[in-house]
Amino acid sequence: MDAVCRELNLSYHYFIKYFKKVMGLSFVDYLNYRRVKKAERLLLTRDISITEVGFEVGIPNMAQFYKMFKRYNHCSPKEFKQRMKNEGGRVSLEADVPPVPSVVS
């Protein structure tokens, strides 16, 4: 986050307040949402392990990756991949602005 603040030439406190005001969620929640959406795309479009997906999206700790993935999808990455395969992959893979997750971290 410090790099983002430096790049934008904004103080940390101003940035986090402004981001939340504009986006409706914290920068960290937004970043995590984007990581999960990228993980969904990778699970459905590439033949790589779930561990590799975690590394690709910047979450090398598998326990943390599973917890975050479940927070947004209410299932594990493996269950998500199987469900999408069975349903024909009907999921929005766009990285749009997320709803605020129901689970507070």
Side-chain angles (χ1 to χ4, degrees), residues 4-103:
V4 173
C5 292
R6 277 193 308 274
E7 186 70 28
L8 297 173
N9 199 26
L10 298 172
S11 76
Y12 171 83
H13 295 290
Y14 180 80
F15 174 74
I16 60 173
K17 285 183 179 182
Y18 183 76
F19 192 93
K20 187 161 187 158
K21 179 181 176 186
V22 171
M23 298 298 289
L25 68 162
S26 75
F27 180 73
V28 172
D29 286 339
Y30 178 75
L31 183 62
N32 289 338
Y33 175 82
R34 295 292 301 259
R35 286 177 171 164
V36 169
K37 294 311 269 184
K38 182 176 180 180
E40 290 173 5
R41 276 194 309 276
L42 292 173
L43 287 167
L44 297 176
T45 61
R46 293 184 49 201
D47 189 24
I48 59 176
S49 71
I50 293 170
T51 302
E52 290 173 301
V53 171
F55 274 97
E56 287 277 328
V57 300
I59 310 167
N61 180 305
M62 283 298 93
Q64 183 181 0
F65 176 64
Y66 270 78
K67 184 178 178 180
M68 186 181 306
F69 195 92
K70 279 187 166 193
R71 180 182 302 153
Y72 289 93
N73 289 297
H74 308 290
C75 64
S76 72
K78 183 178 180 179
E79 292 166 338
F80 173 84
K81 188 173 184 174
Q82 188 61 45
R83 186 183 332 146
M84 291 302 109
K85 183 179 177 183
N86 291 341
E87 293 178 8
R90 288 174 287 187
V91 65
S92 172
L93 294 177
E94 297 176 14
D96 53 354
V97 178
V100 177
S102 58
V103 177

